[in-house]
Amino acid sequence: MKKIIKYFTLISAASLITVNFALAEQQQASLQDSFNKIKESVQEVNEGTKNLITAKEEENLSPEEKEKEELNLRLQVFDKILNLSIKEAEDTASQLKALNNLDEKASSLRKQLAKEFEDFLEFYNTQKKVFEKPEETVNEQTQDNPEQNQEIDLLKIKEIAQSFKDWRETVYLPKLAIATNFLLINRQKTTLEMAETRFKKISLDVKKLKKINFKGINELEKYLNLAVNSLEKAKDFRQEAENNFWLITATSTTSTTSSTIAIASSTTDNASNENTTSTVSSIPIEDQFLSIKSLIGQSLNKIKDAYQVFIEMSNFIKKLLI
C-alpha cells in the first residue's frame, strides 16, 4: 500500500511540474501575440498614412479623371487608416481596462490612459462618419464649379493627411508607447507572480517527496535552488524596467492638441488654421523605452529558465519511476 501511495505521489509531482510549465508558456505566448498585433497595426497605419500623402496618379487618364481618381484613392486609403486606427485604439483601451491588482500610482495612470484612448476612439469614429459617403460629398461640392471645388477637395485631403500624420507622430504614438510599455510591465508582473506561485506548489511537492525518503531528493533541491535564482533575477529585471518607466514618464514632456486635428473642417482654411500644438522631447519616447523592452525580455528569459528547470525536474522524477 505504501508503495502505491509513493508511486502516485511521484506521478502527481511530475504531472504538476509539466502542467505548470505549459500554463506559463500559454500566458507568455498570449502576451507576445497581443503586442505583436499592436505593432502590426501601427505599421499598417503608418504605411497607409504615407500612401495617403504620396498617392500616385493613374496613367492614361484626362486631368479631370486623374483628379477624381486621386481624390477617390485618398479617401479610400484614409478610410482604411481610420479602420486600423479604431482597432488599434480599441485593443489598447481593452487591455488597459483588463489590468487589475495595481497599486495606487499605477491604477491612476491606468485610468488616465484608458480615458485618453477612449477619447482617441471617439475621435476616430467621428471622423469615419464624415467620410462614410465621400461620393455624395464630392457631388454636392462640385455642382457650382466642378474644377475649382474638386481642386479644393484634393488640397483639403492632402492637408488632412499631413495633419493626421503629424498628430500621430507628436501626440498619439508617444501615448501608445507609454500605454504599451505600461501594459508590458504590469502583465510581466502577473506572469512573474504566476511563476512564483507555481514554484511554491512545486516546492511543496518536493517536501512531500522528502517525507517519503525519495532517493533523488538532493538532486531535486539543487534544481529548486536554480529555479529560485532565475526567478529572483527575473523579478529584479522587471523591477528595474518599472523604475525606468516611471522615470521616463516623469521626465518626458507631454503633448497636447488645441483641437485634436481638423479633419472634418468645412473649408480648407479651417483645416489649416486648427493646427496641432505639441512639445516633444529631443529623443523620441519610443527610443527612450527601448531599455524597458530589453529588461522585460531578460525577465521573460529568466522565467523561461526557471520553467526549463521544472521540466528537467519532471523528467528526472519520471526516469526514477521507470
Side-chain angles (χ1 to χ4, degrees), residues 50-164:
K50 292 178 182 178
N51 291 339
L52 181 59
I53 296 171
T54 61
K56 295 182 178 179
E57 299 178 349
E58 293 287 338
E59 296 181 358
N60 302 320
L61 295 176
S62 67
E64 293 78 10
E65 289 174 328
K66 286 182 179 180
E67 287 188 351
K68 183 176 180 180
E69 185 68 21
E70 182 180 356
L71 176 61
N72 289 335
L73 175 61
R74 289 175 182 275
L75 289 172
Q76 290 172 19
V77 172
F78 198 84
D79 183 66
K80 180 179 180 180
I81 290 172
L82 287 175
N83 287 334
L84 290 169
S85 298
I86 287 170
K87 184 178 185 305
E88 179 182 79
E90 284 178 339
D91 289 346
T92 305
S94 175
Q95 291 182 58
L96 286 167
K97 291 177 182 178
L99 286 180
N100 51 35
N101 297 324
L102 303 177
D103 59 29
E104 184 177 352
K105 185 177 182 180
S107 179
S108 177
L109 180 59
R110 185 197 67 80
K111 290 179 182 179
Q112 176 189 326
L113 289 172
K115 177 62 170 60
E116 288 174 334
F117 276 88
E118 287 177 352
D119 291 342
F120 291 149
L121 185 58
E122 182 180 354
F123 166 74
Y124 287 142
N125 282 317
T126 298
Q127 301 314 312
K128 185 167 176 59
K129 290 179 181 179
V130 173
F131 291 98
E132 279 179 349
K133 299 179 180 180
E135 291 184 1
E136 292 182 11
T137 303
V138 171
N139 290 334
E140 291 176 0
Q141 293 178 338
T142 58
Q143 286 178 354
D144 298 330
N145 193 334
E147 292 185 3
Q148 183 178 357
N149 283 320
Q150 184 80 346
E151 182 179 359
I152 290 176
D153 285 335
L154 287 173
L155 288 174
K156 179 180 177 181
I157 196 65
K158 289 176 182 178
E159 290 180 356
I160 288 171
Q162 187 60 57
S163 179
F164 184 86

Side-chain angles (χ1 to χ4, degrees), residues 27 100 185-195 238:
Q27 177 153 340
N100 51 35
I185 289 169
N186 284 285
R187 293 185 69 171
Q188 175 64 5
K189 182 179 180 180
T190 300
T191 301
L192 184 57
E193 289 173 346
M194 186 180 76
R238 197 215 71 86

Side-chain angles (χ1 to χ4, degrees), residues 269-283:
D269 289 339
N270 287 341
S272 61
N273 287 337
E274 294 190 34
N275 295 321
T276 56
T277 60
S278 63
T279 54
V280 295
S281 172
S282 57
I283 302 176

